[in-house]
Amino acid sequence: MPNPTTPKTYRVKNFGCQMNVYDGERMAELLADRGMTAAAEGQDADLVVLNTCHIREKAAEKVYSDIGRLTKVDGSKPLIAVAGCVAQAEGEEIMARAPAVSMVVGPQAYHRLPVLLDKAAKGERATDTDMPANAKFDQLPQRRRIGPAAFLTIQEGCDKFCTYCVVPYTRGAEISRPFKDLVAEAERLVENGAREITLLGQNVNAWSGENAAGQAVSFDGLIRSLAKLPDLQRIRYTTSHPMDVTDGLIAAHGEEPKLMPYLHLPVQSGSDRVLRAMNRSHTADSYLKLLERFRAARPDIALSGDFIVGFPGETEAEFEDTLSLVDEVRYAQAYSFKYSARPGTPAADMEDTIAAEVMDERLQRLQAAINRDQLAFNQASVGKTCEVLVERKGKYPGQWLGKSPWLQSVHFTGDAGIGDLTTVELAEAGPNSLSGRLLVPATV
Ligand code: SAH
Ligand code: SF4
Ligand code: F3S
């Protein structure tokens, strides 16, 4: 392990989902509160936090190669903390396998990172993977200056236990953060520059809470309450589960103009047998019917999903059911993954595993279908005028990059600035982004 010194600069490296991005921001705030500063791009950091993901084998193994590669220009090792879902799942193993790591901290315990840092300053290695429900949020420092598009974790953990998935083990049971805390944090984010908030959780639509009068508030009620913040322009959420979709949420898409016309609703497979084996609690048909209802409420809604190919026992015909589902939905965007057996999950013990070449071939066919639809969706947007929230400067002088309501990346040149909600005519489409013409400059 490195020499015990007090670190002055830090770098947080996030992997995995947006919840890790949120957690990474909160850890950075904790470190800043201790007087540390973020290491400049390209400069060594005294402390590196690897905020890891355990969802697939490749993601998890990456941690060890990253630890091996972390070296300062003078050849010494920085202080290394491993946080996130690999920390939760394999804390002891990390400590045993990687002597360069001084601290291991789980996703529910990172508010206690300062305690671990104090121990590290004395040359002690320490692990904290406790899961005290909600405790961390009360002990984290205030939110600080933030970009125009901010994340807000409203719910953590998962009780769904899909047979392939580690999240219920790494993130623990499903818990909702209290309504008043979320309103307060959203207000802070907006005061600090956020114009768009994405509500985060593994199953955000399972969120429930109570308002100040003690009345029950459901997820769509939370959205409607946050929409009342005058300077908040846009609300998004991810991820939601088909099982927890309510009439209220579908209605909110038709009624609440600040709720963006975008829905990420993972399905995983188009085969009912595979869905049952995955413990998904929906069928291909019930999923398609849900999407129809969202489309009826908000005809221009952009749809997104997640897919797994090569789940144990998946036949060619069952895989083709997935392709048919994609053909029917015409996703604006979708993510697809090769099945990865995760230790401790029920699917890891299933027989009839699918050969790597078959998985590769299925993934390619699925991605070709998804890319075709993504390009078609972007091309169909050409000629539309929409609002673009500017998030950062583009590659070229005078160019800006932002997001359309449908979460497309849009670049344009002209008189604008970060955080502006500009009106842009979409002019040209590629598979991953569009270019636009600025019509009306800044409205905020
Ligand atoms: N809670 C969300 C997403 C969880 S993880 C949901 O259920 O909708 C993000 C995606 O990773 C999943 O939707 C799934 O497509 C993929 N995934 C999860 N476990 C996996 C595994 N063992 N192998 C391959 N992909 C996996
Ligand atoms: Fe994993 Fe399923 Fe929970 Fe999503 S719903 S996090 S895939 S167990
Ligand atoms: Fe990965 Fe944990 Fe998110 S396993 S996907 S970082 S919840």
Side-chain angles (χ1 to χ4, degrees):
M1 89 161 262
N3 290 331
T5 47
T6 310
K8 295 189 182 62
T9 58
Y10 66 84
R11 173 168 297 122
V12 181
K13 290 184 73 179
N14 295 315
F15 305 90
C17 64
Q18 285 137 325
M19 300 191 68
N20 262 11
V21 177
Y22 174 88
D23 292 342
E25 281 169 5
R26 306 290 333 241
M27 283 189 271
E29 287 163 353
L30 264 175
L31 299 172
D33 230 36
R34 275 174 79 91
M36 292 173 66
T37 51
E41 189 82 19
Q43 297 288 307
D44 279 341
D46 300 331
L47 165 71
V48 176
V49 180
L50 297 174
N51 196 16
T52 61
C53 173
H54 200 238
I55 203 86
R56 284 167 289 273
E57 189 180 358
K58 269 211 185 116
E61 274 304 311
K62 202 173 175 325
V63 183
Y64 295 99
S65 58
D66 273 14
I67 294 167
R69 272 206 308 269
L70 281 175
T71 320
K72 294 187 173 184
V73 278
D74 64 4
S76 68
K77 283 267 190 216
L79 206 55
I80 302 173
V82 178
C85 291
V86 182
Q88 190 66 40
E90 297 181 4
E92 294 307 316
E93 193 183 332
I94 296 167
M95 279 299 190
R97 250 176 90 175
V101 172
S102 306
M103 291 159 273
V104 165
V105 66
Q108 310 298 351
Y110 63 75
H111 55 294
R112 296 197 291 237
L113 190 57
V115 179
L116 302 189
L117 275 167
D118 290 340
K119 287 190 181 164
K122 289 188 259 163
E124 293 169 30
R125 303 173 80 206
T127 300
D128 190 343
T129 48
D130 276 2
M131 286 197 170
N134 264 332
K136 73 172 178 231
F137 294 108
D138 297 335
Q139 290 166 48
L140 291 168
Q142 283 273 8
R143 304 307 316 261
R144 53 176 192 183
R145 182 127 202 102
I146 204 106
F151 288 144
L152 173 53
T153 292
I154 65 162
Q155 183 262 355
E156 291 211 89
C158 180
D159 293 340
K160 302 288 186 290
F161 290 94
C162 300
T163 53
Y164 50 82
C165 183
V166 291
V167 171
Y169 312 99
T170 60
R171 293 266 168 176
E174 228 165 73
I175 38 165
S176 297
R177 291 183 64 193
F179 177 74
K180 70 168 184 8
D181 294 5
L182 296 175
V183 174
E185 191 168 326
E187 281 169 352
R188 258 320 271 186
L189 289 171
V190 174
E191 276 165 27
N192 283 302
R195 293 292 166 265
E196 171 181 300
I197 293 182
T198 302
L199 306 175
L200 296 181
Q202 289 300 348
N203 292 295
V204 269
N205 53 335
W207 181 90
S208 65
E210 250 180 32
N211 64 15
Q215 291 154 331
V217 187
S218 57
F219 178 55
D220 62 288
L222 174 67
I223 292 174
R224 291 174 199 269
S225 300
L226 296 179
K228 296 202 176 88
L229 295 175
D231 290 336
L232 180 62
Q233 308 282 354
R234 293 175 159 192
I235 300 173
R236 302 182 184 276
Y237 60 89
T238 197
T239 306
S240 36
H241 193 289
M243 194 176 132
D244 295 315
V245 169
T246 60
D247 295 348
L249 179 60
I250 296 173
H253 273 280
E255 292 162 10
E256 180 45 68
K258 289 186 182 178
L259 181 58
M260 290 295 101
Y262 186 91
L263 173 71
H264 180 66
L265 197 65
V267 60
Q268 315 299 355
S269 168
S271 150
D272 288 345
R273 192 207 59 83
V274 174
L275 288 170
R276 257 195 319 278
M278 288 175 163
N279 191 31
R280 282 294 295 184
S281 70
H282 58 80
T283 61
D285 194 51
S286 68
Y287 174 84
L288 290 169
K289 290 215 165 80
L290 270 181
L291 294 189
E292 268 170 37
R293 292 176 58 209
F294 275 101
R295 275 185 165 147
R298 182 75 204 231
D300 70 337
I301 197 163
L303 298 172
S304 165
D306 285 350
F307 293 90
I308 296 176
V309 300
F311 187 79
E314 184 189 66
T315 63
E316 170 63 21
E318 286 167 345
F319 170 67
E320 284 169 12
D321 289 341
T322 300
L323 288 180
S324 308
L325 182 137
V326 169
D327 286 350
E328 188 163 343
V329 175
R330 304 260 163 206
Y331 287 95
Q333 195 184 358
Y335 304 88
S336 47
F337 310 100
K338 284 187 273 185
Y339 169 72
S340 168
R342 308 305 294 125
T345 60
D349 298 326
M350 289 181 187
E351 288 169 3
D352 290 332
T353 52
I354 305 299
E357 316 82 77
V358 176
M359 281 209 225
D360 284 337
E361 190 256 348
R362 288 184 187 166
L363 187 71
Q364 273 180 25
R365 283 155 73 198
L366 178 58
Q367 289 187 338
I370 291 168
N371 291 344
R372 167 203 72 199
D373 293 347
Q374 191 168 319
L375 180 63
F377 182 85
N378 287 347
Q379 283 169 338
S381 308
V382 170
K384 281 188 189 166
T385 295
C386 68
E387 284 183 331
V388 170
L389 178 64
V390 180
E391 292 182 16
R392 54 192 163 91
K393 284 187 173 161
K395 262 199 289 202
Y396 307 105
Q399 193 190 42
W400 301 97
L401 203 71
K403 293 272 165 52
S404 77
W406 308 282
L407 206 63
Q408 296 149 301
S409 291
V410 179
H411 50 89
F412 64 89
T413 47
D415 182 17
I418 292 171
D420 289 349
L421 199 61
T422 53
T423 304
V424 169
E425 186 188 24
L426 301 174
E428 229 177 290
N432 298 311
S433 66
L434 291 120
S435 63
R437 255 191 305 277
L438 180 66
L439 296 182
V440 187
T443 56
V444 185

